[in-house]
Amino acid sequence: MNKINIGIIGTGFGAEVHAPIFRLYPGFHLKSIASVYRGRHGATKHSLRDIAFYSNWREMLESEELDLVSIASTPAQHYDMALQALRTGHHVLIEKPLAMNAGQTLELVEEASRLERHAFVNFLWRLTPLRQRIKSMLDQRMLGRIQHIRYCGSFSGYSALAEGQRGWEGRREEGGGFLFAVGSHMIDSLMWWMGEEIAEVQGDLRTHIPGYEGSDGREVRNADDAFSFTGRFRGGASLAVDVFLPGRTGTGWRLEIYGDEGTLVMRDDRILEFSRGGALEPVQIESTKPPEGLTVPAVHYYNGFYPMLDSIYRSLTDKPSMLEIPNVADGHRTQVVMDAVLRSSDTGSRVRIDLSPWNQVIVTKGEH
């Protein structure tokens, strides 16, 4: 098996999730890791003492012979790191969200195309067996014409938000907030399932716990800890999305897809049910058990991230893949929708989205 040399930027999520799962795939050789904030400790505590460590990610790009660079830094840094990696001849895998705004994401799409480099985005949600089954059912038109999709989640996050600092995750200007963190996954999944773009949105972002003060200091936050938006797809189906983190007790995830011939319900990313009228019946899903010894948090991402790595390896070695790999074009489409949700929330206007020239977002005046 031809080995592909890997370098990772980020000793937080990169060391905790990317590195151990990369090491499980026989086609990849993890050569190096670069810290952004955490220093060597972030790498050594995750058994990465045997690979080259860099305190400067630019130095790693210049010094190591790498084929693929995996970027797992904070969102505000994705654009600069991905652009530099592409321009130094590397393929890239970029954590979501792809960048901070649609102008940046469009440039990454254009640079990857110009330089003939592969540029993937880690929308791993769409690669889990359960979500792949949803895609298959929709593609087979088992629900008929889709009329409406409702996708929501509520969580028991009050204590975590009220009793500790959030760091960059609490600052909108650094890519914090749950629209970017989980909304990016949701938007990508919705457009991928439907095979069409979201055409308009009406959004509302809230910061229910805007600050924290304790023995470790004081923190002021402006990033959302809850968001919602309604809208419609280009084909006419309506959608409603709602995420609320700061609950005392949350109820988890729920997805409902309504078609004129059937209804599909997903609960907590574990249970899938289908009905053509009458009671919902369970849909059997073949799941893959993570290998023994894979630790938290990597074990929670295995079912999406390992198929992602298999598909990336196949793409880089010109082998066929059964899966559709999310790339920078998908990241750009998702960013355009997130920009529209943000603008809608800021202006109180309904926002129409025109992706035909890639980066046009038009606010419909006078609609509140």
Side-chain angles (χ1 to χ4, degrees):
M1 203 173 197
N2 295 328
K3 292 283 187 177
I4 292 174
N5 292 324
I6 305 297
I8 295 175
I9 301 176
T11 54
F13 195 78
E16 295 169 349
V17 175
H18 285 218
I21 302 180
F22 264 117
R23 283 187 149 174
L24 290 173
Y25 194 87
F28 291 118
H29 175 216
L30 181 58
K31 289 192 67 178
S32 59
I33 191 166
S35 175
V36 182
Y37 297 118
R38 298 170 185 255
R40 181 178 292 274
H41 177 67
T44 57
K45 74 175 183 177
H46 296 290
S47 303
L48 299 176
R49 299 176 181 86
D50 59 329
I51 66 173
F53 171 82
Y54 291 85
S55 58
N56 184 311
W57 61 270
R58 294 180 187 273
E59 183 182 349
M60 183 182 77
L61 296 184
E62 295 167 358
S63 302
E64 295 287 333
E65 293 185 4
L66 303 172
D67 302 303
L68 175 71
V69 177
S70 188
I71 299 170
S73 60
T74 60
Q77 298 172 306
H78 290 176
Y79 166 75
D80 285 337
M81 291 175 173
L83 205 60
Q84 183 65 21
L86 288 168
R87 288 174 176 172
T88 50
H90 303 89
H91 305 294
V92 292
L93 168 62
I94 310 161
E95 266 300 332
K96 53 75 205 170
L98 176 56
M100 292 292 291
N101 57 63
Q104 291 182 347
T105 58
L106 180 62
E107 186 173 358
L108 291 176
V109 172
E110 292 173 341
E111 279 295 274
S113 176
R114 182 181 71 84
L115 297 167
E116 299 182 338
R117 297 289 88 187
H118 290 279
F120 310 100
V121 180
N122 195 22
F123 285 134
L124 55 81
W125 281 19
R126 67 155 83 171
L127 299 178
T128 64
L130 188 148
R131 288 184 174 81
Q132 288 285 321
R133 185 60 181 275
I134 293 172
K135 175 66 170 172
S136 175
M137 294 175 74
L138 294 183
D139 285 350
Q140 295 174 49
R141 299 189 62 81
M142 292 178 64
L143 279 69
R145 181 179 60 84
I146 303 304
Q147 302 163 311
H148 178 68
I149 299 181
R150 179 174 178 263
Y151 199 178
C152 61
S154 64
F155 307 97
S156 311
Y158 182 88
S159 295
L161 290 169
E163 298 172 8
Q165 297 206 29
R166 299 291 294 169
W168 68 266
E169 294 176 303
R171 297 188 285 270
R172 176 171 167 175
E173 62 274 13
E174 294 183 41
F178 281 81
L179 177 64
F180 273 26
V182 298
S184 54
H185 276 302
M186 298 168 80
I187 292 165
D188 172 70
S189 293
L190 286 164
M191 293 193 290
W192 170 66
W193 279 326
M194 289 290 287
E196 62 182 78
E197 296 154 357
I198 294 171
E200 65 178 34
V201 293
Q202 176 88 49
D204 184 26
L205 276 67
R206 299 296 178 97
T207 308
H208 291 278
I209 303 180
Y212 161 81
E213 188 165 0
S215 59
D216 55 343
R218 181 174 180 270
E219 180 179 74
V220 177
R221 304 169 185 151
N222 61 356
D224 62 288
D225 53 30
F227 69 88
S228 63
F229 65 90
T230 59
R232 64 173 178 86
F233 291 93
R234 198 154 303 283
S238 57
L239 72 151
V241 174
D242 183 87
V243 170
F244 182 76
L245 178 70
R248 285 292 189 178
T249 302
T251 59
W253 289 107
R254 187 175 179 91
L255 169 73
E256 302 167 2
I257 306 179
Y258 298 95
D260 59 8
E261 296 180 18
T263 297
L264 192 65
V265 175
M266 178 181 73
R267 291 186 284 128
D268 282 333
D269 299 319
R270 295 183 297 106
I271 298 169
L272 189 62
E273 298 170 312
F274 175 64
S275 171
R276 290 189 184 274
L280 289 162
E281 300 290 342
V283 177
Q284 297 301 315
I285 306 294
E286 292 185 11
S287 60
T288 303
K289 186 177 180 181
E292 296 290 336
L294 191 63
T295 58
V296 174
V299 68
H300 300 310
Y301 296 90
Y302 176 82
N303 279 338
F305 197 51
Y306 193 86
M308 169 78 77
L309 298 189
D310 179 65
S311 298
I312 289 174
Y313 181 83
R314 290 174 178 275
S315 180
L316 295 180
T317 55
D318 297 321
K319 292 181 172 63
S321 173
M322 296 294 291
L323 300 178
E324 186 180 350
I325 319 171
N327 57 32
V328 286
D330 299 300
H332 176 64
R333 280 187 283 266
T334 295
Q335 187 66 53
V336 169
V337 176
M338 290 196 298
D339 284 2
V341 173
L342 287 166
R343 186 175 299 187
S344 173
S345 181
D346 289 344
T347 63
S349 299
R350 194 166 187 84
V351 177
R352 290 186 292 114
I353 303 166
D354 181 8
L355 270 162
S356 55
W358 272 112
N359 63 336
Q360 292 297 312
V361 179
I362 306 168
V363 177
T364 304
K365 302 295 184 181
E367 296 186 12
H368 298 279

